[in-house]
C-alpha cells in the first residue's frame, strides 16, 4: 500500500515542478480537455450541438504547434431526429506574435479530420443513417497562459466535411434520411473552450 | 442543507483559531467523498448524488480536479410524475483558480465532462453518453494538516437527446459540503 501511494504521488510531484525548458519551445508536449459548441449544422433546422473532447499538443518550433484531438458532439435535428458526430484529427497552429511567452497568445490554425456521423430517428432507433468522411478545418484561437504549464484556450473554427451529404427530413409524418452522393461541402462552425497542461519538453 | 453549511462555517471558524498555518500551496493533494443534493433547472425535481473528487495543486493558485457524481435517487415535487433520471453518472475533469489566505481558500472552476444517463421515462429508456460541463464556486477551510471542511456549488449542463418528444435538458445545481482529506506531497 505504501509503495502504491509513493508510485501514485511521484508523477504528481513532477507535474508541479517548473517546466524544464531545453532551449526553444519546440518539443513541448501538453494534454488537455475541452468542451465544444457546434453553432450550426448543415440542414434546414441548423440546431446547436454540444460536445466534449480531448487533445494533446506537440510543439514543433517557437511559433508552430500541433493539436491532435478527439471530439464527441451531439445535436438535434428539429424535434424529430438527432445526430452524433465523432471527430478525430489534427491541426497545425501558427503563432504570429513576436513575443514567445505572453499572457495572451493568439494563433491561426488549419488541419484535417476524419469523422463519423450517425443520424437517428427520435422515435425509432432502428431508423438511422450514417456516414464516414474526412474534413478540413481552419480558424482562429487564443491561449490564456495561467502559469508556465497551464493554459486556457478558446478556438473558433469552421469545419467542412468532404463526402456524401446526409440529412434528415420529415415527409408525410415519417422521418426520412437522404444520403446524397457527390462533392458536398457540408460544414459546421465549432467553438472550443479547453484546458491544457504542459507535460514536458522533449527536445 | 443550510444547517450543514452553517455547521461547516462554524466548525471552520472554531478550528481556525487553533491552527493558522499555510495549507494551500503547490503540491497539495486533496480528496473528498460526500452526499450531494441537487435540483434540476428544467423540471421540478430534486436528486441525490454520491460525489467524490481528487484534486492536485500545480501552483499556489491553480489546481486540476477530477470529479464524479453517482446518481442515488430523486423525487418529483408533483406526485403525479415519477422523477426523470433512472441512472446517471456525471464525470468531469478541469482546472480551478484559487484565491485564499492562510487556511481559508475560495475558488472557481471549469470542468468539461461526460454524463452517462438513462431516463426513468416512457419517452426513452436508453443509456446515453451526453456531453457535459460543470462550473464550480466554493470555499475550503483547512482545520489541520490532514483535514478540511468544504462547501461547493456546481452548475452542470447536459442534454439528453433522442427521445420521442425531442431533447431533454438535464441541467442541475448541485450542492456539496462536508469533510475532506489532504496531503502535502512537496516540501515547501
Amino acid at each position: 500500500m505504501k509503495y502504491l501511494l509513493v508510485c501514485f504521488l511521484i508523477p504528481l510531484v513532477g507535474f508541479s515542478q517548473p517546466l524544464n525548458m531545453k532551449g526553444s519551445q519546440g518539443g513541448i508536449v501538453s494534454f488537455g480537455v475541452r468542451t465544444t459548441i457546434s453553432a450550426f449544422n448543415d440542414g434546414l433546422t441548423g440546431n446547436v450541438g454540444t460536445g466534449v473532447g480531448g487533445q494533446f499538443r506537440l510543439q514543433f518550433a517557437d511559433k508552430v504547434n500541433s493539436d491532435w484531438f478527439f471530439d464527441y458532439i451531439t445535436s438535434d435535428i428539429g424535434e424529430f431526429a438527432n445526430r452524433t458526430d465523432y471527430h478525430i484529427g489534427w491541426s497545425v497552429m501558427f503563432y504570429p506574435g513576436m513575443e514567445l511567452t505572453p499572457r495572451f497568445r493568439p494563433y491561426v490554425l488549419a488541419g484535417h479530420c476524419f469523422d463519423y456521423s450517425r443520424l437517428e430517428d427520435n422515435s425509432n432507433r432502428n431508423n438511422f443513417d450514417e456516414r464516414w468522411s474526412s474534413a478540413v478545418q481552419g480558424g482562429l484561437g487564443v491561449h490564456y497562459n495561467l502559469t508556465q504549464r497551464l493554459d486556457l484556450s478558446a478556438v473558433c473554427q469552421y469545419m467542412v466535411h468532404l463526402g456524401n451529404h446526409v440529412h434528415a427530413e420529415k415527409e408525410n409524418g415519417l422521418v426520412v434520411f437522404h444520403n446524397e452522393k457527390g462533392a458536398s461541402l457540408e460544414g459546421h462552425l465549432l467553438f472550443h473552450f479547453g484546458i491544457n497542461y504542459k507535460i514536458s519538453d522533449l527536445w | 442543507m443550510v444547517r450543514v453549511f452553517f455547521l461547516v462555517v462554524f466548525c471552520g471558524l472554531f478550528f481556525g483559531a487553533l491552527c493558522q498555518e499555510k495549507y494551500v500551496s503547490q503540491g497539495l493533494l486533496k480528496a473528498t467523498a460526500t452526499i450531494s443534493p441537487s435540483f434540476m433547472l428544467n423540471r421540478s425535481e430534486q436528486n441525490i448524488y454520491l460525489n467524490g473528487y481528487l484534486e492536485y495543486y500545480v501552483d499556489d493558485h491553480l489546481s486540476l480536479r477530477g470529479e464524479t457524481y453517482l446518481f442515488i435517487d430523486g423525487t418529483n415535487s408533483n406526485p403525479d410524475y415519477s422523477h426523470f433520471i433512472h441512472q446517471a453518472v456525471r464525470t468531469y475533469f478541469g482546472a480551478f483558480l484559487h484565491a485564499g489566505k492562510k487556511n481559508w481558500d475560495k475558488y472557481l472552476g471549469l470542468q468539461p465532462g461526460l454524463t452517462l444517463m438513462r431516463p426513468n421515462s416512457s419517452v426513452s429508456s436508453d443509456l446515453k453518453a451526453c456531453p457535459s460541463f460543470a462550473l464550480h464556486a466554493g470555499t475550503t477551510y483547512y482545520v489541520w494538516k490532514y483535514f478540511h471542511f468544504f462547501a461547493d456549488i456546481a452548475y452542470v449542463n447536459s442534454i439528453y437527446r433522442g427521445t420521442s418528444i425531442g431533447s431533454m435538458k438535464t441541467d442541475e445545481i448541485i450542492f456539496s459540503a462536508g469533510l475532506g482529506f489532504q496531503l502535502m506531497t512537496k516540501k515547501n
Side-chain angles (χ1 to χ4, degrees):
Chain A
M1 186 63 197
K2 187 178 169 185
Y3 292 113
L4 192 68
L5 190 65
V6 169
C7 290
F8 175 70
L9 292 179
I10 283 173
L12 290 179
V13 172
F15 286 170
S16 64
Q17 302 293 333
L19 187 63
N20 188 16
M21 298 287 289
K22 300 171 184 172
S24 74
Q25 291 190 356
I28 293 177
V29 179
S30 62
F31 282 86
V33 289
R34 64 188 190 179
T35 191
T36 298
I37 295 169
S38 177
F40 62 86
N41 291 301
D42 190 52
L44 294 172
T45 56
N47 293 98
V48 172
T50 53
V52 64
Q55 74 271 340
F56 81 87
R57 291 182 183 149
L58 176 61
Q59 192 156 348
F60 296 139
D62 281 341
K63 290 191 166 195
V64 182
N65 205 342
S66 66
D67 189 40
W68 306 77
F69 60 86
F70 172 78
D71 285 317
Y72 168 73
I73 302 168
T74 61
S75 38
D76 291 324
I77 303 171
E79 291 187 347
F80 55 90
N82 68 91
R83 68 181 284 165
T84 306
D85 292 280
Y86 301 85
H87 295 159
I88 185 164
W90 79 304
S91 295
V92 169
M93 302 143 73
F94 173 69
Y95 303 108
M98 299 303 289
E99 204 178 337
L100 295 181
T101 54
R103 183 67 89 174
F104 285 96
R105 198 170 196 197
Y107 57 90
V108 181
L109 70 89
H112 307 114
C113 169
F114 293 101
D115 66 273
Y116 169 72
S117 302
R118 182 184 170 96
L119 285 70
E120 216 172 78
D121 183 346
N122 279 347
S123 52
N124 179 9
R125 287 196 74 184
N126 294 320
N127 182 23
F128 69 92
D129 204 346
E130 58 190 353
R131 179 194 61 182
W132 291 89
S133 76
S134 60
V136 293
Q137 71 273 357
L140 301 170
V142 63
H143 301 316
Y144 177 65
N145 292 304
L146 289 164
T147 69
Q148 185 200 23
R149 282 180 178 266
L150 192 74
D151 71 73
L152 301 178
S153 296
V155 182
C156 172
Q157 64 177 343
Y158 193 76
M159 183 175 279
V160 179
H161 294 276
L162 309 169
N164 292 355
H165 179 53
V166 185
H167 62 104
E169 283 177 14
K170 203 157 189 180
E171 296 175 3
N172 301 321
L174 296 173
V175 178
V176 179
F177 297 101
H178 297 278
N179 196 330
E180 294 157 358
K181 295 193 185 303
S184 164
L185 293 178
E186 178 190 351
H188 44 177
L189 184 66
L190 300 169
F191 295 94
H192 306 284
F193 302 95
I195 299 155
N196 301 277
Y197 192 74
K198 295 179 181 67
I199 303 291
S200 67
D201 188 5
L202 298 181
W203 65 81
Chain B
M1 191 62 220
V2 175
R3 282 183 195 168
V4 172
F5 178 76
F6 282 112
L7 187 66
V8 167
V9 171
F10 173 76
C11 291
L13 292 172
F14 176 75
F15 285 110
L18 303 175
C19 44
Q20 291 292 327
E21 297 173 38
K22 185 190 177 191
Y23 294 103
V24 181
S25 63
Q26 194 180 67
L28 183 68
L29 180 69
K30 287 165 59 178
T32 73
T34 190
I35 302 290
S36 302
S38 77
F39 65 88
M40 301 191 84
L41 298 178
N42 310 102
R43 46 185 56 82
S44 308
E45 287 189 26
Q46 294 82 45
N47 297 318
I48 299 288
Y49 287 91
L50 182 63
N51 164 232
Y53 69 74
L54 188 66
E55 183 171 17
Y56 185 74
Y57 283 67
V58 295
D59 188 87
D60 286 2
H61 301 289
L62 279 168
S63 65
L64 300 176
R65 176 161 142 182
E67 183 154 22
T68 291
Y69 296 93
L70 178 67
F71 176 79
I72 304 294
D73 204 355
T75 56
N76 193 313
S77 52
N78 186 338
D80 295 336
Y81 294 96
S82 62
H83 56 276
F84 179 75
I85 299 175
H86 179 58
Q87 291 175 323
V89 180
R90 298 179 178 275
T91 302
Y92 302 93
F93 180 80
F96 284 70
L97 191 61
H98 299 264
K101 269 189 177 178
K102 293 182 178 172
N103 36 355
W104 194 9
D105 182 25
K106 290 146 279 184
Y107 59 81
L108 295 170
L110 167 67
Q111 295 176 303
L114 199 65
T115 294
L116 286 173
M117 186 175 285
R118 186 195 302 276
N120 191 8
S121 164
S122 57
V123 292
S124 175
S125 59
D126 297 325
L127 183 69
K128 288 192 174 177
C130 314
S132 180
F133 68 85
L135 298 173
H136 288 264
T139 186
T140 308
Y141 205 87
Y142 295 88
V143 293
W144 191 43
K145 61 181 178 179
Y146 297 122
F147 297 125
H148 63 266
F149 298 133
F150 73 97
D152 181 282
I153 182 167
Y155 162 70
V156 294
N157 175 291
S158 60
I159 301 173
Y160 184 91
R161 300 187 196 278
T163 75
S164 57
I165 54 170
S167 290
M168 300 286 204
K169 284 192 171 185
T170 51
D171 300 357
E172 290 186 75
I173 299 288
I174 306 179
F175 300 98
S176 303
L179 175 69
F181 310 92
Q182 83 263 13
L183 198 62
M184 180 52 74
T185 62
K186 269 184 74 177
K187 284 185 180 176
N188 291 315

